[in-house]
Amino acid sequence: MTSYQFAAIRYAAIVAFGGFIFGLDAALISGVVRDITEVFDLSAFQVGLVVGSPGYGVLFALFLAGYLADKLGRKKTLQIIASLYVVSAVASAIAPSYETLVAARFLGGLAFTSLSLASMYIGEIAPPKARGKLVAMNQMAIVVGLSAAYLSVFAVHWISELQLSWVSALMIDTQTWRWMLGVEILPALIWVLLLFSIPESPRWLVLRGRIDEAEAVMAKLVPPAELALEMQGVRESSAHGHKNHSVWHQLQDLFSPNVRKALIIAVVIAFFQQTVGINAVMFYAPIIFEQVGLGTNAALFNGVYIGLISVLATALALALIDKLGRRALIIVGLVVAGVSLLSCAWAFSQATYGLTGETLASLAEHLDVSSLQALQGVTFDSDLSFKAALVEQLGPKVARDNEAVLFQYAANMNATVILFGVLAFIAAFQFSIGPVMWVLFSELFPIHVRSVAIPAMALVASIVSAMVQQLFPIQLEVMGSSGVFFTYGVSAVLALILLAWLMPETKGKSIEEIEQMLAAK
């Protein structure tokens, strides 16, 4: 490995560490949904708001992200984002009420723009032949963060059940969910410090007319023999479009005929990346596994498998993205995702639910079952009808608070198909549309519109993501598990059809070559 390759990898790894923080922030909430629902007595809408509030925060921030990245530079904007993660993590862990928890997580959502800024920065410093791997490092960091979050949630939950004095002294047994959310604080602080060691993007420096500084940074990234040619290409690309690189003029250029093809592809992938339901599955994983009848402890532990599968699938994508190309990964991944999601929908549709005398005796250890005697021997053919009967007999709060254990004893379904389907879907997503979307964002758009285009596409993905997260608890109440997974499966099939038709191959091409290729179509 040359010093130039090492420099590019080091800078990309530091910026991609923000993806690790994002993964932690996003997935830690999965372990506390049940606790905060009971502590703050939340409705389905309120649960969705707590989980989805970062998605609303990022909607607001993305309107400013492009402006700040353009005016302050990529580096300073990333440093602001990292600081927001720290403040949000502390505020979430100490939140005294539902409203303050939502506000703290909304603040963390402002920092979710790190994904689009990281993609932008890494795409601008990476050599063409390694850009796919380096940009996909951001996705690898995300899934490692997700894995660390699931493992942390399970570890904190396990510690909270230990009958030890120091556990009680630190209130881990009584304030378990606060400790789970507090896991993020230290990594966020580390990222703030690491960002001081990266240079500014050379392509942004060229846009600002700071040519000497751009050459000094580029000299760290490419050999002397290639420096003049690389700088010439950057200058030519930055000169395209309006000479005035304001946000308004970048928006005008974004809808110009030469950029239109790139815009259509990016919007399609940004929309469908979220409608397949990845964030619902990842952020509500324990709730989904409880619907299968696993119980709380097993549901939390299965989150660890989700993290492990995510890491392995993303590592495979990282190894293959610059060999097989972006298009092949997308097509293979969406085929597997569609089959997996529709298999889950079928398995849930075949499930039945019922309480016997034996199961009622076992449930008596957890709650008063006298009200459930009327349900003994009755078989329900859907989770919706079973939940409705539980609410009628126990009342909404008792039924909700004990849903995990009730499903554990009452559910009768092909759990293997569902568990395998969920894990296969996650593997397919992390192998394909997960990392490939950010790689494409870093490649498709010319330099003169990137500070608007990439945050704008992240905005599209974030709007859809926020809706998916907000609606999942409500969909679960209205459509049942089968209906929810069916809609996600249909979305994966539509994504496959559209992207197979629209998406060209971009591997091994410079940003400038991709610009010319798409402008010609």
Side-chain angles (χ1 to χ4, degrees), residues 10 15 49 60 68 109-110 139 166 169 178 242 244 262 299 301 439 441 453:
R10 182 164 69 89
V15 172
L49 189 57
F60 174 78
L68 292 177
L110 301 180
Q139 185 70 19
W166 63 270
R178 296 187 187 277
H242 286 84
N244 181 345
F301 184 72
V439 173
F441 285 177

Side-chain angles (χ1 to χ4, degrees), residues 126-147:
K129 291 183 179 179
R131 190 188 308 112
K133 287 187 178 68
L134 294 184
V135 175
M137 283 175 62
N138 197 42
Q139 185 70 19
M140 173 57 83
I142 292 172
V143 298
V144 171
L146 291 168
S147 184

Side-chain angles (χ1 to χ4, degrees), residues 291 350-363 372-383 385-387 389-390 405-413:
Q291 303 298 305
Q350 301 301 305
T352 59
Y353 307 82
L355 297 172
T356 64
E358 184 179 347
T359 56
L360 286 173
S362 299
L363 281 169
L372 295 174
Q373 297 298 326
L375 303 183
Q376 183 175 339
V378 180
T379 299
F380 299 89
D381 60 3
S382 74
D383 52 345
S385 58
F386 181 57
K387 288 178 184 178
L390 292 176
V405 70
L406 286 164
F407 270 76
Q408 181 179 356
Y409 286 100
N412 178 27
M413 65 180 71

Side-chain angles (χ1 to χ4, degrees), residues 26-63:
L28 285 172
I29 194 66
S30 69
V32 308
V33 169
R34 187 66 67 189
D35 285 344
I36 61 174
T37 300
E38 295 181 19
V39 170
F40 299 127
D41 192 19
L42 305 182
S43 66
F45 175 83
Q46 290 173 318
V47 171
L49 189 57
V50 171
V51 175
S53 52
Y56 297 117
V58 75
L59 299 186
F60 174 78
L62 283 169
F63 285 107

Side-chain angles (χ1 to χ4, degrees), residues 114-408:
S114 62
L115 299 185
S116 61
L117 266 294
S119 177
M120 183 188 302
Y121 179 92
I122 297 172
E124 292 176 1
I125 66 158
K129 291 183 179 179
R131 190 188 308 112
K133 287 187 178 68
L134 294 184
V135 175
M137 283 175 62
N138 197 42
Q139 185 70 19
M140 173 57 83
I142 292 172
V143 298
V144 171
L146 291 168
S147 184
Y150 291 127
L151 186 59
S152 299
V153 162
F154 180 74
V156 173
H157 178 76
W158 178 75
I159 291 171
S160 72
E161 295 187 329
L162 299 177
Q163 302 297 317
L164 298 174
S165 58
W166 63 270
V167 173
S168 298
L170 294 173
M171 295 189 293
I172 301 177
D173 54 344
T174 58
Q175 302 292 326
T176 309
W177 67 272
R178 296 187 187 277
W179 281 92
M180 290 178 178
L181 295 179
V183 166
E184 182 185 344
I185 297 172
L186 182 58
L189 283 171
I190 292 172
W191 193 40
V192 170
L193 298 176
L194 287 174
L195 286 172
F196 282 98
S197 66
I198 67 170
E200 183 52 84
S201 161
R203 285 177 164 84
W204 179 82
L205 291 169
V206 168
L207 281 176
R208 291 292 157 216
R210 294 156 62 176
I211 306 300
D212 292 342
E213 293 177 63
E215 286 187 352
V217 175
M218 195 67 80
K220 301 176 183 178
L221 300 169
V222 298
E226 301 174 16
L227 182 58
L229 183 61
E230 188 73 22
M231 286 301 299
Q232 180 183 350
V234 173
R235 286 195 192 95
E236 290 176 355
S237 180
S238 64
H240 293 174
H242 286 84
K243 299 298 181 183
N244 181 345
H245 294 290
S246 67
V247 171
W248 171 245
H249 286 106
Q250 287 187 62
L251 282 171
Q252 287 181 297
D253 286 343
L254 185 60
F255 289 93
S256 67
N258 285 346
V259 186
R260 189 174 299 149
K261 177 76 172 181
L263 179 63
I264 292 171
I265 296 168
V267 168
V268 169
I269 196 169
F271 179 82
F272 282 102
Q273 198 223 34
Q274 293 301 318
T275 58
V276 296
I278 185 63
N279 283 342
V281 174
M282 298 292 276
F283 301 167
Y284 292 98
I287 301 297
I288 292 171
F289 288 137
E290 286 176 5
Q291 303 298 305
V292 181
L294 294 183
T296 299
N297 288 341
L300 290 175
F301 184 72
N302 272 275
V304 178
Y305 288 121
I306 287 180
L308 179 60
I309 290 291
S310 296
V311 171
L312 293 176
T314 306
L316 184 60
L318 211 64
L320 297 177
I321 192 168
D322 286 318
K323 295 179 180 178
L324 298 182
R326 290 62 161 144
R327 182 180 169 84
L329 265 61
I330 283 283
I331 292 174
V332 171
L334 285 175
V335 168
V336 176
V339 171
S340 301
L341 289 166
L342 293 174
S343 296
C344 289
W346 173 82
F348 272 119
S349 72
Q350 301 301 305
T352 59
Y353 307 82
L355 297 172
T356 64
E358 184 179 347
T359 56
L360 286 173
S362 299
L363 281 169
E365 301 177 10
H366 305 277
L367 72 158
D368 181 4
V369 297
S370 57
S371 300
L372 295 174
Q373 297 298 326
L375 303 183
Q376 183 175 339
V378 180
T379 299
F380 299 89
D381 60 3
S382 74
D383 52 345
L384 291 178
S385 58
F386 181 57
K387 288 178 184 178
L390 292 176
V391 169
E392 183 179 351
Q393 298 298 322
L394 298 174
K397 187 176 189 310
V398 175
R400 181 198 64 202
D401 292 349
N402 293 279
E403 185 174 286
V405 70
L406 286 164
F407 270 76
Q408 181 179 356

Side-chain angles (χ1 to χ4, degrees), residues 103-116:
R105 287 183 52 74
F106 178 90
L107 185 64
L110 301 180
F112 280 14
T113 51
S114 62
L115 299 185
S116 61

